Amino acid sequence: MMDVNVVIAGAAGEGIQTVGSIFSVAAAKCGLAVFSWQEYESRIRGGLNSYSIRISTSLKNAPRRDADVLLPLRKEARKKYRSWLNPNGLLIADEQDNTDGATEIFVPFNKIAREKWQSPIYANTIAVGALWSVIGGDFEALQVAVEDEFQGKAETVIKNNVEAARDGYLFAEKSCQGICPWKLEKRPDRFYLIAGSPAIALGSVKAGCRFMAAYPMTPATGIITFLTQHRKECKVFTEQAEDEIAAINMAIGAQFAGVRAMTATSGGGFSLMVEALSLAGMVEVPVVVVLAQRPGPATGLPTRTAQGDLLFAIHSGHGEFPKVVLAPSDPYDAFHKMVRAFNLADKYQIPIIVMTDQFLADSQFSIPDFDVELAKVETFIASPSDFSTYKRYSITASGISPRLYPGQSKYLVTADSDEHDEDGHITEDLDGVAVPMMEKRLRKLQSLRREIRPPERFFMEDDVEEVFVGWGSTRQAIFEAVEILREEGKRIGALHFTELWPLPELSSKEEFFPPKASITIIEQNATGQFASLLRRELVIRDAKSMLFYSGLPVTAQDIRRRFYGRD
């Protein structure tokens, strides 16, 4: 089975993304599963960044930090990322340097570009050609990917880039004899290559979202950018608001008027939205908020990843009101989770927070395709014909009042952020109205607990002695770690949560966890937030935490090393 991890490294603005994109597309066109992720500094130009591409014959949507092939585009990148190269790995060098002991293929892509075109502009395409040759790819597939990348440019630009790729390919091919062990065979499989942010955008479109307001904030910006770039196909009106407070209030206003609407932001922006989140809770207007996590507090590490906002999301807002917190695991899940988020928001007339993170937002995953038949859109706007009289906040056994929108009928539809009676009029009747109204809103939680889906089970067999527990985007890394450890004889299973609040209803701890198995909760924050939640809600007091908070995505090997106590 082929499983090759390629790392391209260089300075910001040096073309790493272009090189990585061409390479990823070429591999995907050959029917291989491709997973790519980037780590980059928070600056426009300068600093050293990397683009990792994992190519495999079966789905491996999990990051690796060890490189089988390392392509540094400059000397400084070689020095910084040399430690990532596996002992048997191969380095593609623009300048020969054997002082670090790496096995290298020498391809002077800058020199070739300058001599042939009197410009270094084609050096990266030469490097892509060399990289493709090293892993044993067929040149025709690369040529198609190069032509796609430069589509719309002048014919000379396309022709020169194809020629540059061929030059690099042929140069490396001569040097590869007896050194490069890989052979990339074309396969009949076809995967859809997509990152988390476009998947969230497409899921919201499928769900019937027709309005999005947001203020740009990394790593959430990709969602509104995608919807704006594809506004004709997606038919979503997008608005760049003056700040996050305005953005969420616009979304609440659109929902009040009967239009499915959303907003998206990251930590600091979500802080600003919290007051309006309570407004949505009080006026019982559905709204979907995407919270793209990054390490904080404050600006923190805006281009790195983390799972540090979980308890903040669950407890966001003043006062007490029901909300739901979801955390999709990958783009496929994100697409379907957005449909579920809009359905739940609509049904219960509450805010829904969908938690993603920089890793999920920006990484490219291979998925078979979205199963749109499974993404059922459900709407819960009431029909005016069902009423002889109408009370917007009528007290019901479920806590859910029938919802009309203004202008839909002759009935008056009210909204009041003060406590109100069933008609929506402000009240100071504490025992007669305020208490029953609070209890009405909170009764929704009872139904929500029954509707929340249980965690996904992975190798939860009778012999399990230890259970890894995770949530959100760490799914693939945890599951891969379980597979590796089971091959090494460890009796380990995993549970993975994507619906985090309220936690699903269960009768006992044993409903999820084998009675004698130890529990390790793996998450990307420094304080064990999900572990804290499980201990409190499910009374799992003996669970251990395995925490990662460097800003880099957790890998299966990270978990394995920590399991054996090696770091």
Side-chain angles (χ1 to χ4, degrees):
M1 183 187 77
M2 186 176 195
D3 184 5
V4 182
N5 197 44
V6 172
V7 176
I8 303 161
E14 199 169 27
I16 295 173
Q17 287 190 335
T18 303
V19 175
S21 173
I22 294 172
F23 187 79
S24 299
V25 169
K29 286 182 181 296
C30 291
L32 291 152
V34 177
F35 172 80
S36 69
W37 67 279
Q38 303 175 59
E39 58 90 24
Y40 55 100
E41 297 183 12
S42 177
R43 57 173 76 181
I44 302 300
R45 185 171 285 275
L48 294 172
N49 309 322
S50 70
Y51 193 127
S52 298
I53 307 160
R54 186 176 184 180
I55 304 167
S56 56
T57 47
S58 62
L59 282 176
K60 296 286 184 186
N61 283 321
R64 284 175 53 189
R65 264 195 300 285
D66 59 313
D68 297 308
V69 181
L70 176 63
L71 170 60
L73 297 179
R74 60 171 53 204
K75 189 184 297 182
E76 295 85 355
R78 173 175 180 147
K79 186 177 180 182
K80 177 178 177 180
Y81 293 95
R82 170 65 181 85
S83 62
W84 288 27
L85 190 63
N86 283 327
N88 298 322
L90 193 66
L91 187 144
I92 302 174
D94 180 43
E95 297 179 23
Q96 286 181 306
D97 176 8
N98 293 319
T99 57
D100 59 12
T103 303
E104 65 180 36
I105 295 286
F106 174 53
V107 182
F109 31 88
N110 277 298
K111 182 181 178 187
I112 294 172
R114 283 195 301 270
E115 289 180 352
K116 190 164 185 175
W117 288 284
Q118 289 76 54
S119 168
I121 197 170
Y122 295 104
N124 286 355
T125 313
I126 296 170
V128 173
L131 187 57
W132 190 247
S133 181
V134 162
I135 68 158
D138 180 78
F139 182 74
E140 288 183 5
L142 179 64
Q143 180 174 338
V144 173
V146 171
E147 290 170 345
D148 285 353
E149 177 68 26
F150 295 98
Q151 191 177 22
K153 302 282 186 182
E155 190 174 331
T156 307
V157 173
I158 299 172
K159 176 176 171 293
N160 287 348
N161 275 286
V162 170
E163 193 174 335
R166 185 178 285 108
D167 286 352
Y169 186 90
L170 295 175
F171 198 105
E173 192 176 43
K174 294 175 188 171
S175 305
C176 263
Q177 302 297 327
I179 299 177
C180 306
W182 304 284
K183 180 62 180 173
L184 194 155
E185 303 283 355
K186 286 187 177 179
R187 297 171 61 83
D189 300 330
R190 286 292 176 266
F191 298 106
Y192 189 40
L193 196 59
I194 188 169
S197 288
I200 287 172
L202 290 171
S204 66
V205 173
K206 172 62 181 174
C209 176
R210 292 296 174 263
F211 177 77
M212 178 179 183
Y215 184 79
M217 193 168 187
T218 303
T221 309
I223 301 167
I224 193 169
T225 301
F226 182 92
L227 290 173
T228 304
Q229 289 172 337
H230 299 85
R231 56 189 177 277
K232 289 183 180 177
E233 303 95 319
C234 294
K235 301 186 187 308
V236 177
F237 185 91
T238 55
E239 172 74 11
Q240 179 177 321
E242 61 267 38
D243 57 34
E244 288 85 353
I245 300 171
I248 188 171
N249 280 313
M250 287 181 186
I252 292 171
Q255 284 275 9
F256 179 66
V259 176
R260 283 197 164 183
M262 65 181 289
T263 185
T265 187
S266 298
F270 187 71
S271 297
L272 296 174
M273 291 183 177
V274 164
E275 182 183 0
L277 208 67
S278 295
L279 172 66
M282 181 54 127
V283 299
E284 300 186 56
V285 169
V287 66
V288 175
V289 181
V290 178
L291 169 53
Q293 301 166 99
R294 62 192 203 186
T299 308
L301 296 164
T303 59
R304 308 291 177 172
T305 200
Q307 292 181 313
D309 293 339
L310 175 62
L311 294 181
F312 178 36
I314 288 172
H315 299 296
S316 56
H318 54 284
E320 300 167 293
F321 60 96
K323 68 173 82 70
V324 167
V325 177
L326 308 175
S329 58
D330 57 33
Y332 180 88
D333 189 35
F335 175 87
H336 290 275
K337 206 67 84 185
M338 289 305 292
V339 177
R340 181 159 168 76
F342 276 97
N343 289 345
L344 286 174
D346 217 17
K347 181 177 181 179
Y348 290 94
Q349 303 168 28
I350 56 173
I352 306 280
I353 301 164
V354 180
M355 302 191 73
T356 177
D357 50 55
Q358 184 272 329
F359 168 70
L360 174 56
D362 295 339
S363 299
Q364 296 268 352
F365 295 68
S366 288
I367 63 172
D369 202 350
F370 299 122
D371 193 340
V372 293
E373 295 299 319
L374 292 178
K376 302 289 185 187
V377 178
E378 301 170 326
T379 56
F380 298 91
I381 297 284
S383 171
S385 62
D386 293 340
F387 312 106
S388 56
T389 58
Y390 176 69
K391 294 177 182 295
R392 171 65 187 94
Y393 299 105
S394 60
I395 292 179
T396 63
S398 66
I400 302 170
S401 308
R403 174 173 164 244
L404 301 177
Y405 58 84
Q408 184 185 5
S409 67
K410 63 181 180 181
Y411 296 119
L412 178 67
V413 180
T414 54
D416 195 328
S417 66
D418 285 69
E419 189 56 274
H420 42 255
D421 61 17
E422 290 181 281
D423 290 313
H425 298 143
I426 186 170
T427 182
E428 289 288 334
D429 184 349
L430 302 184
D431 292 333
V433 177
V435 170
M437 197 57 73
M438 172 67 84
E439 292 171 347
K440 177 197 98 73
R441 290 191 292 267
L442 292 179
R443 272 201 296 277
K444 298 175 187 178
L445 276 171
Q446 299 168 13
S447 303
L448 276 168
R449 284 190 187 280
R450 292 191 290 273
E451 193 156 343
I452 289 296
R453 292 170 181 161
E456 180 182 359
R457 298 166 63 87
F458 188 70
F459 279 111
M460 290 295 290
E461 300 172 357
D462 294 339
D463 66 347
V464 164
E465 295 177 346
E466 179 155 358
V467 180
F468 287 169
V469 180
W471 62 278
S473 68
T474 56
R475 174 181 180 272
Q476 290 297 332
I478 292 173
F479 285 8
E480 187 174 19
V482 169
E483 289 178 327
I484 292 170
L485 290 168
R486 288 189 75 88
E487 288 173 2
E488 295 172 354
K490 306 300 178 186
R491 296 175 180 175
I492 295 178
L495 290 175
H496 184 263
F497 289 74
T498 58
E499 307 204 352
L500 307 175
W501 186 258
L503 283 171
E505 193 173 63
L506 77 166
S507 56
S508 68
K509 170 187 167 185
E510 285 71 28
E511 192 174 330
F512 285 164
F513 303 98
K516 296 182 180 178
S518 61
I519 301 167
T520 300
I521 301 166
I522 301 170
E523 50 189 322
Q524 294 190 141
N525 57 61
T527 55
Q529 297 187 25
F530 192 52
S532 173
L533 188 69
L534 291 182
R535 290 188 189 108
R536 188 185 79 190
E537 295 292 318
L538 302 183
V539 199
I540 302 171
R541 305 208 183 281
D542 52 352
K544 297 177 290 185
S545 281
M546 187 186 291
L547 306 176
F548 300 89
Y549 43 90
S550 69
L552 293 173
V554 63
T555 69
Q557 290 299 335
D558 291 335
I559 296 169
R560 179 181 175 275
R561 281 192 295 272
R562 194 73 69 83
F563 175 81
Y564 287 119
R566 293 178 184 169
D567 66 13

